[in-house]
Amino acid sequence: EVQLVQSGAEVKKPGESLKISCKGFGYSFSSFWIGWVRQMPGKGLEWMGIIYPADSDTRYSPSFQGQVTISADKSISTAYLQWSSLKASDTAMYYCASSTIFGVATLGIFFDYWGQGTLVTVSS
Amino acid sequence: DIQMTQSPSSVSASVGDRVTITCRASQGISSWLAWYQQKPGKAPKLLIYAASSLQSGVPSRFSGSGSGTDFTLTISSLQPEDFATYYCQQANSFPQTFGQGTKVEIK
């Protein structure tokens, strides 16, 4: 059974750094794109970026480029999302999601498996 | 970036109703479109991919159609468990983008 298990909720202060994780189980983690999606409180889904773990090819939304870093360690089937300096506006639920339908293709990256979400709260 | 615009933003419907949600892309995306369902406090769930392909395990009352810039998600007979928010997503080019969502509420 394919599963994505995310790290637990975080409460941080503005200016602090943070790295959250997403571990894949039950499939060939390296062979499929894995992405991150933000959902601010009461709002819709925002596509942040995506990584192909086999070669670490990473693509970002311009809205998030330079604000976060997406990485992956294929040896432990884990993807990461990190911030160097959090802001209050980073308060949101963050989901990781994998796309196993069309493999390595950059067209048709549809998220068929999702993590349970990591709630990040940034408050002084 | 490709902008995805859903309509309506919300719809009130009764069990058994046919519900149609539309999604328009700001430029052509062929058939590289997905539909997701999200219930409160839960992760989104993939319903339809490649505009009209039903994801495994999804009830056949859900269907998708369209290509190019105009797409439709149809629920043929609304069930109690279908009350949720629905999002479209384009997967034609980076950055991928989601529509703003359509909330299906109980009438």
Side-chain angles (χ1 to χ4, degrees):
Chain A
E1 180 195 4
V2 175
Q3 269 193 298
L4 296 173
V5 179
Q6 297 186 229
S7 49
E10 301 274 1
V11 179
K12 292 288 192 179
K13 290 181 167 42
E16 292 186 329
S17 63
L18 176 64
K19 191 173 189 177
I20 62 175
S21 66
C22 170
K23 185 172 175 65
F25 295 90
Y27 75 109
S28 179
F29 181 83
S30 293
S31 302
F32 301 100
W33 292 91
I34 188 160
W36 289 93
V37 175
R38 183 175 80 174
Q39 188 166 39
M40 299 178 77
K43 302 298 184 183
L45 305 175
E46 299 175 88
W47 191 92
M48 301 178 70
I50 202 160
I51 188 166
Y52 188 69
D55 61 7
S56 293
D57 182 7
T58 308
R59 316 293 177 98
Y60 291 93
S61 166
S63 299
F64 293 95
Q65 179 91 46
Q67 308 304 308
V68 298
T69 301
I70 293 170
S71 60
D73 184 342
K74 61 185 179 183
S75 70
I76 55 171
S77 300
T78 301
Y80 301 98
L81 178 65
Q82 68 179 88
W83 296 259
S84 58
S85 181
L86 286 159
K87 309 179 188 68
S89 57
D90 292 318
T91 294
M93 181 70 82
Y94 293 88
Y95 293 101
C96 65
S98 66
S99 174
T100 71
I101 296 174
F102 292 117
V104 69
T106 55
L107 284 173
I109 298 175
F110 302 116
F111 295 131
D112 49 340
Y113 295 99
W114 291 71
Q116 81 276 20
T118 295
L119 180 62
V120 174
T121 304
V122 184
S123 174
S124 54
Chain B
D1 299 5
I2 298 174
Q3 307 304 314
M4 305 301 292
T5 304
Q6 289 181 230
S7 61
S9 297
S10 65
V11 57
S12 294
S14 301
V15 173
D17 284 354
R18 182 181 184 89
V19 173
T20 299
I21 300 168
T22 63
C23 180
R24 175 164 288 176
S26 60
Q27 63 191 75
I29 59 170
S30 186
S31 295
W32 299 117
L33 183 103
W35 290 97
Y36 299 87
Q37 176 194 66
Q38 188 180 32
K39 296 181 180 179
K42 300 293 187 183
K45 172 186 175 183
L46 178 66
L47 299 176
I48 301 285
Y49 66 93
S52 60
S53 295
L54 192 67
Q55 173 67 351
S56 175
V58 174
S60 59
R61 62 181 179 273
F62 291 93
S63 63
S65 64
S67 67
T69 60
D70 294 309
F71 301 87
T72 299
L73 172 70
T74 299
I75 310 171
S76 61
S77 178
L78 198 66
Q79 298 303 299
E81 60 268 30
D82 301 336
F83 292 95
T85 301
Y86 294 84
Y87 296 91
C88 62
Q89 175 221 351
Q90 68 84 11
N92 181 77
S93 60
F94 295 124
Q96 296 189 352
T97 42
F98 290 95
Q100 81 278 16
T102 295
K103 188 172 184 179
V104 177
E105 300 173 298
I106 301 172
K107 193 170 188 178

